[in-house]
Amino acid sequence: MYCLKPEVLSSWEELGRLLADVFLEIPSTGAPYDKSHALSRILDEVLPIFTQQDYQIRILVEVLAQLIYKATIKGPNDLAVSYFVPCSTWKLSGQTWQMLFHQGTSCEPFDVFSNNMQ
């Protein structure tokens, strides 16, 4: 998925274009944050390794879509891989899809397709 690529996650410009001004994320810690917080983390963040698979896209209305998929994450200091099901809401703004909301829910481990490693 485009938004999980290291070159996007580490680029203020790319991530800024991808996230809507009203963006809100609720991470596993439960402490929500907005676009400015997401962008401020770029300089200090060491990127984790993600996998993603089994995408489901639901068109809610013509310019609004929901994306649900399975993913894993392993941070640079983590001993184990975490499994979760992310859900994000996207809005078409002109010619660009922007993420409005994102939340990842922890789940039981699942088989990871080998070609999904980043």
Side-chain angles (χ1 to χ4, degrees), residues 1-5 8-9 11-21 23 35 39 89-91 93 96-101:
M1 162 170 242
Y2 176 75
C3 64
L4 292 179
K5 291 185 175 188
V8 174
L9 290 174
S11 168
W12 195 92
E13 293 81 16
E14 288 292 317
L15 197 56
R17 200 173 19 247
L18 184 71
L19 302 179
D21 290 340
F23 172 76
K35 180 177 181 173
L39 292 173
T89 305
W90 295 77
K91 181 179 180 184
S93 299
T96 304
W97 284 95
Q98 290 188 305
M99 189 184 304
L100 300 170
F101 177 79

Short mmCIF file of all heavy atoms in Angstrom, two decimals, residues 1-5 8-9 11-21 23 35 39 89-91 93 96-101:
data_model
loop_
_atom_site.label_atom_id
_atom_site.label_comp_id
_atom_site.label_asym_id
_atom_site.label_seq_id
_atom_site.Cartn_x
_atom_site.Cartn_y
_atom_site.Cartn_z
N MET A 1 0.84 -1.18 0.00
CA MET A 1 0.00 0.00 0.00
C MET A 1 0.88 1.24 0.00
O MET A 1 1.84 1.33 0.75
CB MET A 1 -0.93 -0.04 1.20
CG MET A 1 -1.53 1.30 1.53
SD MET A 1 -2.79 1.17 2.73
CE MET A 1 -4.09 1.79 1.74
N TYR A 2 0.54 2.19 -0.79
CA TYR A 2 1.34 3.39 -1.00
C TYR A 2 1.69 4.11 0.29
O TYR A 2 2.82 4.52 0.51
CB TYR A 2 0.58 4.31 -1.95
CG TYR A 2 1.25 5.64 -2.17
CD1 TYR A 2 2.37 5.73 -2.98
CD2 TYR A 2 0.76 6.80 -1.57
CE1 TYR A 2 2.99 6.95 -3.19
CE2 TYR A 2 1.38 8.02 -1.77
CZ TYR A 2 2.50 8.08 -2.58
OH TYR A 2 3.11 9.28 -2.78
N CYS A 3 0.70 4.30 1.20
CA CYS A 3 0.96 5.13 2.39
C CYS A 3 1.88 4.45 3.40
O CYS A 3 2.39 5.12 4.29
CB CYS A 3 -0.35 5.54 3.05
SG CYS A 3 -1.32 4.20 3.71
N LEU A 4 2.14 3.15 3.28
CA LEU A 4 3.05 2.48 4.21
C LEU A 4 4.46 2.34 3.65
O LEU A 4 5.33 1.82 4.32
CB LEU A 4 2.51 1.09 4.58
CG LEU A 4 1.25 1.07 5.42
CD1 LEU A 4 0.81 -0.37 5.69
CD2 LEU A 4 1.43 1.82 6.72
N LYS A 5 4.71 2.82 2.47
CA LYS A 5 6.05 2.75 1.90
C LYS A 5 6.97 3.69 2.66
O LYS A 5 6.60 4.81 3.00
CB LYS A 5 6.02 3.11 0.41
CG LYS A 5 5.33 2.07 -0.43
CD LYS A 5 5.44 2.40 -1.89
CE LYS A 5 4.84 1.26 -2.70
NZ LYS A 5 5.08 1.44 -4.11
N VAL A 8 7.26 7.30 1.64
CA VAL A 8 6.11 8.14 1.95
C VAL A 8 6.11 8.48 3.44
O VAL A 8 5.96 9.63 3.84
CB VAL A 8 4.79 7.45 1.56
CG1 VAL A 8 3.58 8.27 2.02
CG2 VAL A 8 4.75 7.24 0.05
N LEU A 9 6.29 7.47 4.28
CA LEU A 9 6.27 7.67 5.73
C LEU A 9 7.38 8.59 6.22
O LEU A 9 7.26 9.21 7.27
CB LEU A 9 6.36 6.33 6.46
CG LEU A 9 5.14 5.44 6.36
CD1 LEU A 9 5.42 4.08 6.99
CD2 LEU A 9 3.92 6.09 6.98
N SER A 11 8.59 11.17 4.38
CA SER A 11 8.56 12.42 3.62
C SER A 11 7.44 13.32 4.13
O SER A 11 6.26 12.98 4.02
CB SER A 11 8.34 12.13 2.13
OG SER A 11 8.02 13.32 1.43
N TRP A 12 7.81 14.49 4.63
CA TRP A 12 6.83 15.45 5.11
C TRP A 12 5.89 15.85 3.98
O TRP A 12 4.68 15.94 4.16
CB TRP A 12 7.56 16.67 5.67
CG TRP A 12 6.68 17.54 6.50
CD1 TRP A 12 6.50 17.46 7.85
CD2 TRP A 12 5.84 18.61 6.05
NE1 TRP A 12 5.61 18.42 8.27
CE2 TRP A 12 5.19 19.15 7.17
CE3 TRP A 12 5.59 19.17 4.81
CZ2 TRP A 12 4.29 20.20 7.09
CZ3 TRP A 12 4.68 20.23 4.73
CH2 TRP A 12 4.05 20.72 5.86
N GLU A 13 6.43 16.05 2.78
CA GLU A 13 5.62 16.47 1.64
C GLU A 13 4.64 15.39 1.21
O GLU A 13 3.45 15.66 0.99
CB GLU A 13 6.51 16.87 0.45
CG GLU A 13 7.35 18.11 0.68
CD GLU A 13 8.63 17.82 1.49
OE1 GLU A 13 9.03 16.64 1.60
OE2 GLU A 13 9.20 18.78 2.02
N GLU A 14 5.14 14.16 1.06
CA GLU A 14 4.28 13.06 0.61
C GLU A 14 3.18 12.75 1.63
O GLU A 14 2.02 12.60 1.28
CB GLU A 14 5.11 11.79 0.34
CG GLU A 14 5.95 11.87 -0.90
CD GLU A 14 5.12 11.88 -2.17
OE1 GLU A 14 4.15 11.12 -2.29
OE2 GLU A 14 5.46 12.68 -3.06
N LEU A 15 3.57 12.63 2.89
CA LEU A 15 2.59 12.33 3.93
C LEU A 15 1.62 13.49 4.11
O LEU A 15 0.42 13.28 4.30
CB LEU A 15 3.30 12.02 5.25
CG LEU A 15 2.47 11.30 6.30
CD1 LEU A 15 1.88 9.99 5.78
CD2 LEU A 15 3.29 11.05 7.54
N GLY A 16 2.12 14.71 4.00
CA GLY A 16 1.25 15.88 4.09
C GLY A 16 0.20 15.93 3.01
O GLY A 16 -0.93 16.35 3.24
N ARG A 17 0.55 15.47 1.83
CA ARG A 17 -0.40 15.42 0.70
C ARG A 17 -1.41 14.28 0.90
O ARG A 17 -2.57 14.41 0.54
CB ARG A 17 0.40 15.23 -0.59
CG ARG A 17 -0.32 15.62 -1.82
CD ARG A 17 0.52 15.59 -3.09
NE ARG A 17 1.75 14.82 -3.07
CZ ARG A 17 2.98 15.36 -3.16
NH1 ARG A 17 3.12 16.65 -3.27
NH2 ARG A 17 4.04 14.60 -3.15
N LEU A 18 -0.98 13.20 1.49
CA LEU A 18 -1.81 12.02 1.67
C LEU A 18 -2.85 12.19 2.78
O LEU A 18 -3.97 11.70 2.68
CB LEU A 18 -0.91 10.82 2.00
CG LEU A 18 -1.57 9.48 2.13
CD1 LEU A 18 -2.03 8.98 0.78
CD2 LEU A 18 -0.59 8.50 2.74
N LEU A 19 -2.49 12.90 3.85
CA LEU A 19 -3.39 13.06 4.99
C LEU A 19 -4.24 14.32 4.82
O LEU A 19 -3.72 15.39 4.54
CB LEU A 19 -2.59 13.17 6.30
CG LEU A 19 -1.67 12.00 6.63
CD1 LEU A 19 -0.93 12.27 7.93
CD2 LEU A 19 -2.44 10.70 6.69
N ALA A 20 -5.54 14.19 5.02
CA ALA A 20 -6.44 15.34 4.97
C ALA A 20 -6.15 16.25 6.16
O ALA A 20 -5.63 15.80 7.19
CB ALA A 20 -7.89 14.86 5.01
N ASP A 21 -6.51 17.52 6.04
CA ASP A 21 -6.29 18.45 7.14
C ASP A 21 -7.03 18.03 8.41
O ASP A 21 -6.60 18.34 9.51
CB ASP A 21 -6.70 19.87 6.74
CG ASP A 21 -5.74 20.47 5.72
OD1 ASP A 21 -4.59 19.98 5.60
OD2 ASP A 21 -6.14 21.43 5.03
N PHE A 23 -7.45 14.94 9.37
CA PHE A 23 -7.02 13.57 9.68
C PHE A 23 -6.99 13.32 11.18
O PHE A 23 -6.57 14.15 11.98
CB PHE A 23 -5.62 13.33 9.11
CG PHE A 23 -5.00 12.03 9.54
CD1 PHE A 23 -5.42 10.84 8.98
CD2 PHE A 23 -4.01 12.00 10.50
CE1 PHE A 23 -4.86 9.63 9.37
CE2 PHE A 23 -3.44 10.80 10.91
CZ PHE A 23 -3.86 9.61 10.33
N LYS A 35 -3.17 15.35 12.08
CA LYS A 35 -2.20 15.47 10.99
C LYS A 35 -0.91 16.14 11.44
O LYS A 35 0.18 15.65 11.12
CB LYS A 35 -2.83 16.26 9.84
CG LYS A 35 -1.90 16.45 8.65
CD LYS A 35 -2.59 17.19 7.52
CE LYS A 35 -1.68 17.36 6.32
NZ LYS A 35 -2.39 17.93 5.16
N LEU A 39 2.80 14.43 11.21
CA LEU A 39 3.90 15.02 10.46
C LEU A 39 5.10 15.35 11.37
O LEU A 39 6.25 15.23 10.96
CB LEU A 39 3.44 16.28 9.73
CG LEU A 39 2.44 16.04 8.60
CD1 LEU A 39 1.92 17.35 8.05
CD2 LEU A 39 3.05 15.19 7.50
N THR A 89 -10.54 5.61 6.38
CA THR A 89 -11.55 6.26 5.56
C THR A 89 -10.84 7.28 4.68
O THR A 89 -10.02 8.06 5.16
CB THR A 89 -12.59 6.97 6.45
OG1 THR A 89 -13.13 6.02 7.37
CG2 THR A 89 -13.72 7.54 5.62
N TRP A 90 -11.17 7.26 3.39
CA TRP A 90 -10.52 8.10 2.39
C TRP A 90 -11.55 8.94 1.66
O TRP A 90 -12.65 8.48 1.38
CB TRP A 90 -9.80 7.22 1.37
CG TRP A 90 -8.68 6.43 1.95
CD1 TRP A 90 -8.77 5.29 2.70
CD2 TRP A 90 -7.29 6.71 1.83
NE1 TRP A 90 -7.53 4.85 3.05
CE2 TRP A 90 -6.60 5.70 2.53
CE3 TRP A 90 -6.57 7.71 1.20
CZ2 TRP A 90 -5.22 5.67 2.62
CZ3 TRP A 90 -5.19 7.68 1.28
CH2 TRP A 90 -4.52 6.66 1.98
N LYS A 91 -11.16 10.18 1.32
CA LYS A 91 -12.03 11.08 0.58
C LYS A 91 -11.31 11.55 -0.68
O LYS A 91 -10.14 11.91 -0.63
CB LYS A 91 -12.41 12.30 1.43
CG LYS A 91 -13.34 13.25 0.72
CD LYS A 91 -13.72 14.43 1.59
CE LYS A 91 -14.66 15.33 0.82
NZ LYS A 91 -14.98 16.54 1.56
N SER A 93 -10.44 14.24 -3.06
CA SER A 93 -10.36 15.70 -3.08
C SER A 93 -9.73 16.11 -4.40
O SER A 93 -8.52 16.00 -4.57
CB SER A 93 -9.51 16.22 -1.92
OG SER A 93 -10.08 15.85 -0.69
N THR A 96 -7.08 13.67 -5.98
CA THR A 96 -6.26 12.99 -4.98
C THR A 96 -7.12 12.37 -3.87
O THR A 96 -8.00 13.03 -3.33
CB THR A 96 -5.28 14.01 -4.33
OG1 THR A 96 -4.51 14.62 -5.36
CG2 THR A 96 -4.37 13.33 -3.33
N TRP A 97 -6.82 11.12 -3.53
CA TRP A 97 -7.46 10.49 -2.39
C TRP A 97 -6.66 10.86 -1.14
O TRP A 97 -5.45 10.74 -1.12
CB TRP A 97 -7.48 8.96 -2.55
CG TRP A 97 -8.53 8.50 -3.51
CD1 TRP A 97 -8.37 8.24 -4.83
CD2 TRP A 97 -9.90 8.27 -3.20
NE1 TRP A 97 -9.56 7.85 -5.37
CE2 TRP A 97 -10.52 7.85 -4.40
CE3 TRP A 97 -10.67 8.36 -2.05
CZ2 TRP A 97 -11.88 7.52 -4.47
CZ3 TRP A 97 -12.02 8.03 -2.11
CH2 TRP A 97 -12.61 7.62 -3.32
N GLN A 98 -7.36 11.33 -0.11
CA GLN A 98 -6.72 11.69 1.15
C GLN A 98 -7.36 10.90 2.30
O GLN A 98 -8.57 10.70 2.33
CB GLN A 98 -6.86 13.18 1.44
CG GLN A 98 -6.05 14.05 0.52
CD GLN A 98 -6.09 15.49 0.98
OE1 GLN A 98 -7.14 16.07 1.14
NE2 GLN A 98 -4.90 16.05 1.21
N MET A 99 -6.50 10.51 3.25
CA MET A 99 -6.98 9.76 4.40
C MET A 99 -7.56 10.72 5.44
O MET A 99 -6.91 11.67 5.85
CB MET A 99 -5.83 8.95 5.03
CG MET A 99 -6.29 7.99 6.09
SD MET A 99 -4.95 7.10 6.94
CE MET A 99 -4.09 6.33 5.59
N LEU A 100 -8.79 10.42 5.85
CA LEU A 100 -9.47 11.21 6.88
C LEU A 100 -9.28 10.59 8.27
O LEU A 100 -9.15 11.31 9.26
CB LEU A 100 -10.98 11.27 6.61
CG LEU A 100 -11.42 11.90 5.31
CD1 LEU A 100 -12.91 11.67 5.10
CD2 LEU A 100 -11.11 13.38 5.32
N PHE A 101 -9.32 9.27 8.32
CA PHE A 101 -9.32 8.56 9.60
C PHE A 101 -8.59 7.23 9.45
O PHE A 101 -8.67 6.59 8.41
CB PHE A 101 -10.77 8.31 10.05
CG PHE A 101 -10.87 7.52 11.32
CD1 PHE A 101 -10.68 8.13 12.55
CD2 PHE A 101 -11.16 6.17 11.30
CE1 PHE A 101 -10.77 7.40 13.74
CE2 PHE A 101 -11.25 5.44 12.48
CZ PHE A 101 -11.06 6.06 13.69
#
